[in-house]
Amino acid sequence: MTNCLFCKIAKKVIPSDIVYEDDHVLAFSDINPQAPQHKLIIPKKHIASLNELTSEDTLLVGQVIQTAKQLATQLGMSEGYRLVSNCGSLAGQSVFHLHFHLLGGRALHWPPG
Ligand code: 5GP
Ligand code: ZN
């Protein structure tokens, strides 16, 4: 997707603070952190949101979530963190390239609102 912000970040057209990368997955710091640790984990493949997932993406989503777990451990958050994907504008999704927020480093409240 040529005009997608996170595709541009994945292709390094737009710089970001990359904390993990492999052939299929990228993780980088959120530009507007909502917690002491706030990373975004994305598939490099353009998928607009959870709603656009197909059965072909099952392994890829697993890799994204495994990356989140590894990052949480590396960042010293295995005691508690949150992994969340906002799906659709009503849920607050503002970038329509599938991403998971990894949040931690402080006590997190529930429900998030
Ligand atoms: P959403 O609102 O779609 O769930 O999350 C999008 C996230 O992307 C927001 O937390 C926002 O701060 C982050 N974001 C928006 N633009 C940029 C950017 O240019 N670079 C980085 N690193 N994060 C961004
Ligand atoms: Zn994209």
Side-chain angles (χ1 to χ4, degrees), residues 21-42:
E21 179 172 22
D22 64 28
D23 287 346
H24 303 290
V25 177
L26 187 76
F28 52 96
S29 300
D30 195 294
I31 205 167
N32 183 24
Q34 301 300 311
Q37 294 289 357
H38 187 171
K39 308 301 179 194
L40 298 172
I41 305 146
I42 66 169

Side-chain angles (χ1 to χ4, degrees), residues 1 4 6-7 46 97:
M1 262 282 153
C4 169
F6 286 176
C7 281
H46 181 84
H97 178 127

Side-chain angles (χ1 to χ4, degrees), residues 15-113:
S16 68
D17 173 35
I18 294 171
V19 293
Y20 176 83
E21 179 172 22
D22 64 28
D23 287 346
H24 303 290
V25 177
L26 187 76
F28 52 96
S29 300
D30 195 294
I31 205 167
N32 183 24
Q34 301 300 311
Q37 294 289 357
H38 187 171
K39 308 301 179 194
L40 298 172
I41 305 146
I42 66 169
K44 289 185 173 178
K45 174 185 174 185
H46 181 84
I47 301 167
S49 79
L50 289 172
N51 275 342
E52 281 71 36
L53 282 176
T54 72
S55 56
E56 286 179 10
D57 301 317
T58 302
L59 176 61
L60 180 58
V61 172
Q63 290 170 324
V64 168
I65 292 174
Q66 291 284 2
T67 299
K69 184 195 84 171
Q70 284 160 17
L71 270 178
T73 302
Q74 280 170 27
L75 295 169
M77 313 196 294
S78 36
E79 202 177 332
Y81 59 90
R82 186 164 295 155
L83 186 65
V84 63
S85 184
N86 298 320
C87 182
S89 48
L90 201 58
Q93 185 176 5
S94 61
V95 178
F96 283 79
H97 178 127
L98 180 64
H99 54 280
F100 289 81
H101 299 256
L102 175 65
L103 297 144
R106 64 168 170 81
L108 300 169
H109 306 292
W110 190 263

